[in-house]
Amino acid sequence: MGELPHITLDRSSPVPLYFQVARQLERAIVDGSLAPGDRIMNEVELAARLGLSRPTMRQGMQLLVDKGLLVRKRGVGTQVVGPKIRRPFELTSLHDDLASSGQPQATTVLSCSVIQADEELSVELQVPVGDPVWSLERLRNVRDEPFALMHNFLPVDVVDLHGVDLATRGLYAVLREAGVQLRVANQRVGARRADAREARLLGERRGAPLLTMTRTAFDSAGRAVEYGDHVYRADRYTVELTLVDR
Amino acid sequence: MGELPHITLDRSSPVPLYFQVARQLERAIVDGSLAPGDRIMNEVELAARLGLSRPTMRQGMQLLVDKGLLVRKRGVGTQVVGPKIRRPFELTSLHDDLASSGQPQATTVLSCSVIQADEELSVELQVPVGDPVWSLERLRNVRDEPFALMHNFLPVDVVDLHGVDLATRGLYAVLREAGVQLRVANQRVGARRADAREARLLGERRGAPLLTMTRTAFDSAGRAVEYGDHVYRADRYTVELTLVDR
DNA sequence: TAGTGGTCTAGACCACAAT
DNA sequence: TTGTGGTCTAGACCACTAC
């Protein structure tokens, strides 16, 4: 029959039922109440016990299947894969990543001004050449050691960065508060040698290997909102991601 | 009202209707028949025209929303984001990536033997220390230029590599044919200097920056099936990925 | 044969955005 | 107020797996 996860539903909550199911199932897996390899009670039975229709139950479980936490096999049942799979790579800024990891960090704003878009920016941000864009350069330290040199560009009508304290607040937090909803981003990760300036700022030797990341982020309307060109000390940073085959 | 995509359904096909819808919508977007910013006809009307129920229609469109090709706004409608968003980073091997890009490539098998798992492999592949695992090292050339040095490890009971022609066939293709269904993978991308051997094999100078990628792949039962430790010439390869915020 | 997930239907009511 | 997507129901039939 399979394990019976403990799930309570609040039908007066604005949170969708399928999401309540998914959240509580996920917690049970992370808690260890549901161990890897456990078979979960079948969909029909589970839906009946919770007073849900089967499609709603399925929708909730599907979220966890998409995350790689559950595996369904036709004719067999649904099994817990395990909580060790990291979250699918989410759309977060480095600031968020570090803040949530509890590392002490500090950011120095090297420059923040409006420039005219050149050819490259015109392509990446989908604006005409010569259009005004914010150019923002920051150096980030973690545990008092230089870590990343970040160069961001944003069309000026996306957000006003005048007087914004970007040393304390992450760029993505500023964007969120300005009502910008980031939705998709294209990233390119590569490597190259540090030039003289990068080496000096990052406390490396010239020619040292750097991890590079460029990213264009789009809002929910499909508009290019931000283009970032960042370099990281290769000895202090790696990009981690989880791929899920559907 | 919005654009009316041209979609034909084959109800006798074993391909699910929602998938037929998604595939044809996607092609229309990539073709340019549906341009970025276009509003698609609303779900209800579209379902009616195709003789589908609304949930089935939604399921098809949801696939493209998840891929970042479409954006839905409550009270507004569904819009095409654009074909320029690359596919969400899928679980493909480098062999697949290159083959689909049409680049002429050649692979040299440097070694293929069974070794005993050390501590690191024990952790990554979730097998006891000392267990036999395949150790496979390959050098890949693209357009007659060295490109990547790939080291893979697999538990011996996953697949038998004796006599398998890994110069012609990609490792993932071999795994698929052996009935292994890859499902999720954790990747770590970083950078470091080339050591003497890597430099020689890749035609680089010692100390040149390399892009590194390690990956553990799990099958549909959550079992670790393959661990790869690869290095790429940084001047010839970057990792591209698309992030979608949900 | 029995049990499971995969797909599909034909509706319903609600929340939100534009008008 | 109208139109849109968001959610949900109560079934149905099928394909695959294990026994």
Side-chain angles (χ1 to χ4, degrees):
Chain A
M1 167 90 91
E3 298 281 331
L4 169 61
H6 179 70
I7 295 179
T8 60
L9 296 177
D10 176 5
R11 300 192 86 101
S12 68
S13 161
V15 178
L17 295 174
Y18 73 89
F19 195 80
Q20 294 185 37
V21 168
R23 201 167 45 184
Q24 293 181 58
L25 265 182
E26 179 168 10
R27 194 163 51 206
I29 294 172
V30 174
D31 281 356
S33 322
L34 292 175
D38 280 357
R39 276 227 327 280
I40 292 185
M41 178 179 298
N42 73 71
E43 300 177 352
V44 182
E45 174 81 18
L46 204 44
R49 297 227 185 186
L50 293 174
L52 289 173
S53 68
R54 187 181 162 207
T56 302
M57 190 68 219
R58 266 185 76 80
Q59 192 176 358
M61 298 175 63
Q62 188 62 44
L63 284 182
L64 301 188
V65 172
D66 288 344
K67 280 195 181 184
L69 292 175
L70 292 180
V71 171
R72 287 203 271 230
K73 289 184 194 170
R74 183 172 355 198
V76 179
T78 305
Q79 273 185 310
V80 176
V81 171
K84 57 187 174 312
I85 305 300
R86 288 182 195 76
R87 70 180 192 288
F89 201 45
E90 287 162 7
L91 192 49
T92 60
S93 65
L94 180 60
H95 189 281
D96 295 339
D97 285 345
L98 294 173
S100 64
S101 73
Q103 303 278 16
Q105 53 169 315
T107 303
T108 309
V109 176
L110 301 179
S111 70
C112 182
S113 63
V114 175
I115 64 171
Q116 293 191 329
D118 60 15
E119 287 256 342
E120 183 190 0
L121 285 178
S122 164
V123 171
E124 298 292 352
L125 287 177
Q126 302 173 5
V127 298
V129 172
D131 254 33
V133 296
W134 284 105
S135 168
L136 168 66
E137 195 172 29
R138 292 168 298 167
L139 181 65
R140 179 148 297 160
N141 285 29
V142 176
R143 288 188 301 266
D144 292 328
E145 300 276 356
F147 180 84
L149 179 60
M150 304 179 294
H151 212 154
N152 294 85
F153 303 89
L154 306 86
V156 289
D157 50 352
V158 166
V159 64
D160 186 1
L161 296 180
H162 276 119
V164 174
D165 179 15
L166 286 158
T168 316
R169 302 161 65 210
L171 178 59
Y172 276 31
V174 171
L175 286 175
R176 271 195 299 273
E177 281 167 37
V180 177
Q181 293 219 331
L182 296 173
R183 170 106 188 105
V184 296
N186 288 328
Q187 288 198 172
R188 211 168 17 242
V189 179
R192 61 172 166 78
R193 293 179 185 278
D195 65 24
R197 177 169 180 269
E198 290 164 341
R200 177 169 46 81
L201 288 168
L202 289 172
E204 277 274 21
R205 289 190 187 167
R206 188 168 169 177
L210 297 178
L211 192 65
T212 66
M213 196 269 282
T214 62
R215 159 153 75 177
T216 305
F218 301 85
D219 68 7
S220 35
R223 178 188 183 203
V225 164
E226 177 243 353
Y227 173 66
D229 186 353
H230 305 167
V231 296
Y232 306 88
R233 281 189 58 142
D235 55 349
R236 293 182 182 156
Y237 189 57
T238 57
V239 175
E240 300 201 14
L241 49 144
T242 298
L243 312 178
V244 180
D245 197 15
R246 310 239 167 119
Chain B
M1 166 89 90
E3 299 281 330
L4 169 60
H6 179 68
I7 295 178
T8 60
L9 296 178
D10 175 6
R11 300 193 85 100
S12 69
S13 161
V15 178
L17 295 174
Y18 73 88
F19 195 79
Q20 295 185 38
V21 167
R23 200 167 46 185
Q24 292 181 58
L25 265 182
E26 180 168 10
R27 194 163 52 207
I29 294 172
V30 173
D31 281 356
S33 323
L34 292 175
D38 279 357
R39 277 226 324 281
I40 292 186
M41 179 178 297
N42 73 71
E43 301 176 351
V44 182
E45 174 82 18
L46 203 44
R49 298 225 186 188
L50 294 174
L52 290 173
S53 69
R54 188 181 161 206
T56 301
M57 190 67 220
R58 266 185 76 79
Q59 192 177 0
M61 297 175 64
Q62 187 62 44
L63 284 182
L64 301 189
V65 173
D66 289 344
K67 280 195 180 184
L69 292 175
L70 292 180
V71 171
R72 287 205 271 232
K73 288 185 196 172
R74 176 160 19 185
V76 178
T78 304
Q79 273 185 310
V80 176
V81 171
K84 58 190 173 311
I85 306 297
R86 291 180 191 77
R87 70 181 193 287
F89 203 43
E90 287 162 9
L91 192 50
T92 58
S93 66
L94 181 60
H95 189 280
D96 295 340
D97 284 345
L98 294 173
S100 64
S101 74
Q103 302 277 16
Q105 53 167 317
T107 302
T108 310
V109 177
L110 301 179
S111 71
C112 182
S113 62
V114 175
I115 65 171
Q116 292 191 330
D118 60 14
E119 286 256 342
E120 183 191 358
L121 285 178
S122 164
V123 171
E124 299 291 351
L125 288 177
Q126 302 173 7
V127 298
V129 172
D131 254 33
V133 296
W134 285 104
S135 169
L136 168 65
E137 195 172 28
R138 291 168 298 166
L139 181 66
R140 180 148 296 160
N141 285 29
V142 176
R143 287 188 301 266
D144 293 327
E145 301 278 355
F147 180 86
L149 179 60
M150 304 179 295
H151 212 152
N152 295 84
F153 303 90
L154 307 85
V156 288
D157 50 353
V158 166
V159 64
D160 186 1
L161 296 180
H162 276 118
V164 174
D165 178 17
L166 285 158
T168 316
R169 301 161 65 209
L171 178 59
Y172 276 31
V174 171
L175 286 175
R176 271 194 299 273
E177 280 167 37
V180 177
Q181 294 219 330
L182 296 173
R183 170 107 188 105
V184 295
N186 289 328
Q187 288 198 171
R188 220 169 12 244
V189 179
R192 61 171 167 77
R193 293 179 185 279
D195 65 24
R197 178 169 180 269
E198 290 164 341
R200 177 170 46 82
L201 288 168
L202 289 171
E204 277 273 23
R205 290 192 186 165
R206 187 168 168 177
L210 298 179
L211 192 65
T212 67
M213 198 270 281
T214 62
R215 159 153 74 177
T216 305
F218 302 85
D219 68 7
S220 35
R223 178 189 183 203
V225 163
E226 177 242 354
Y227 173 66
D229 186 354
H230 305 165
V231 295
Y232 306 90
R233 281 189 58 142
D235 55 349
R236 293 181 183 157
Y237 188 58
T238 58
V239 175
E240 300 199 16
L241 48 145
T242 298
L243 312 179
V244 180
D245 197 13
R246 309 243 166 116

